[in-house]
Amino acid sequence: MSKVTADLVILFICWTSLHLVAAKEFSQFTLDFLEIVTGDFDNRQQIESGGTDHAFIQFRIVPANMPLLQPDTVWYDEWAADGKLLHMQIGIISELPRDNILIDLYNFTEPSFYKPGEFNTSSLAGLKRGDLKRHNCSAVFRRLNKDVYVGYWPDCRSLVRGHHPNYADTFTCQDVSIIIPPTVEETFAQPPYIFQRKDTRYRFTGLPDTYGNFCGTKN
């Protein structure tokens, strides 16, 4: 078993058994994670290199201003394949012991109403609790080393034998690697999907001064 695989197994076990730490007590490893994950990403470079069966995937993770969920730290994320928006979610970030990070995921609208990148996140401020659809679906990440975070991100749209299929994600300051499970709508391919951030790294507000200075020139 590789070190990355072993870490992911430990991560999954921790996800199911640990108690949450209040958001206001975020440790530096969580603050660094929040800096690394935001942005607009795609695998255009991988597609244009040729010789690949990968679909063209776009995704974005953006801090969300939602008075309904304050004081929680919240993001908006979306995921599109070949120009079709497949999911739009709200993620509520919590910290777990042993350097693990939990993101509870909620659906709130029908993705087919929008094109990739079209949704205006400012409209999230008007959402009510009844607008959020919970599917017992959470992502979990941990720091593997200095600027590498690995985790499972479930496909909350579908169930296979009673479980949500999991994407295996690796985030760094430079790029993102994702293994897409073969049971979802997107094209499964080997090697993993490789994504680059497109210029912007979005910033969360209301976090300590030690947030936002980690990646620096690694962008």
Side-chain angles (χ1 to χ4, degrees), residues 12 15 105 137-139 152-169 179-186:
F12 187 78
W15 176 26
L105 300 170
C137 201
S138 301
Y152 285 117
W153 190 312
D155 177 8
C156 301
R157 301 162 297 172
S158 59
L159 290 171
V160 177
R161 297 179 181 176
H163 299 281
H164 297 292
N166 281 307
Y167 299 73
D169 297 3
I179 299 174
I180 292 180
T183 53
V184 299
E185 185 172 346
E186 304 91 289

Side-chain angles (χ1 to χ4, degrees), residues 14-34:
C14 290
W15 176 26
T16 61
S17 62
L18 299 176
H19 299 290
L20 295 180
V21 176
K24 65 181 180 181
E25 299 175 1
F26 278 168
S27 300
Q28 192 60 44
F29 72 86
T30 300
L31 297 176
D32 294 342
F33 171 76
L34 292 175

Side-chain angles (χ1 to χ4, degrees), residues 41-45 47 54-58 80-84 193 195 198:
F41 303 83
D42 66 39
N43 66 327
R44 185 179 302 277
Q45 183 174 318
I47 296 295
H54 295 72
F56 176 57
I57 303 290
Q58 302 161 271
D82 292 326
K84 179 183 178 182
Y193 282 73
F195 300 87
K198 299 190 298 181

Side-chain angles (χ1 to χ4, degrees), residues 11-182:
L11 179 63
F12 187 78
I13 294 171
C14 290
W15 176 26
T16 61
S17 62
L18 299 176
H19 299 290
L20 295 180
V21 176
K24 65 181 180 181
E25 299 175 1
F26 278 168
S27 300
Q28 192 60 44
F29 72 86
T30 300
L31 297 176
D32 294 342
F33 171 76
L34 292 175
E35 179 181 349
I36 285 176
V37 299
T38 66
D40 297 278
F41 303 83
D42 66 39
N43 66 327
R44 185 179 302 277
Q45 183 174 318
Q46 184 179 42
I47 296 295
E48 292 179 347
S49 67
T52 176
D53 295 326
H54 295 72
F56 176 57
I57 303 290
Q58 302 161 271
F59 75 94
R60 66 193 313 239
I61 299 175
V62 183
N65 176 23
M66 295 187 64
L68 170 70
L69 298 175
Q70 290 178 351
D72 288 326
T73 300
V74 181
W75 76 38
Y76 162 79
D77 66 80
E78 66 178 45
W79 175 274
D82 292 326
K84 179 183 178 182
L85 200 56
L86 297 180
H87 75 62
M88 302 166 66
Q89 296 174 318
I90 298 300
I92 302 176
I93 297 91
S94 300
E95 188 172 297
L96 296 167
R98 303 181 189 176
D99 293 356
N100 291 281
I101 301 160
L102 182 74
I103 304 98
D104 287 322
L105 300 170
Y106 294 81
N107 295 326
F108 66 94
T109 190
E110 172 52 54
S112 63
F113 296 157
Y114 299 91
K115 297 178 181 178
E118 182 180 61
F119 180 73
N120 186 345
T121 57
S122 64
S123 64
L124 294 172
L127 287 183
K128 298 178 175 58
R129 191 164 295 278
D131 297 324
L132 302 179
K133 307 297 188 297
R134 181 81 168 111
H135 298 284
N136 192 29
C137 201
S138 301
V140 61
F141 283 85
R142 73 175 307 189
R143 174 174 261 166
L144 183 62
N145 56 41
K146 180 174 174 56
D147 67 342
V148 179
Y149 287 81
V150 297
Y152 285 117
W153 190 312
D155 177 8
C156 301
R157 301 162 297 172
S158 59
L159 290 171
V160 177
R161 297 179 181 176
H163 299 281
H164 297 292
N166 281 307
Y167 299 73
D169 297 3
T170 302
F171 279 84
T172 75
C173 285
Q174 290 82 19
D175 52 36
V176 181
S177 170
I178 298 179
I179 299 174
I180 292 180

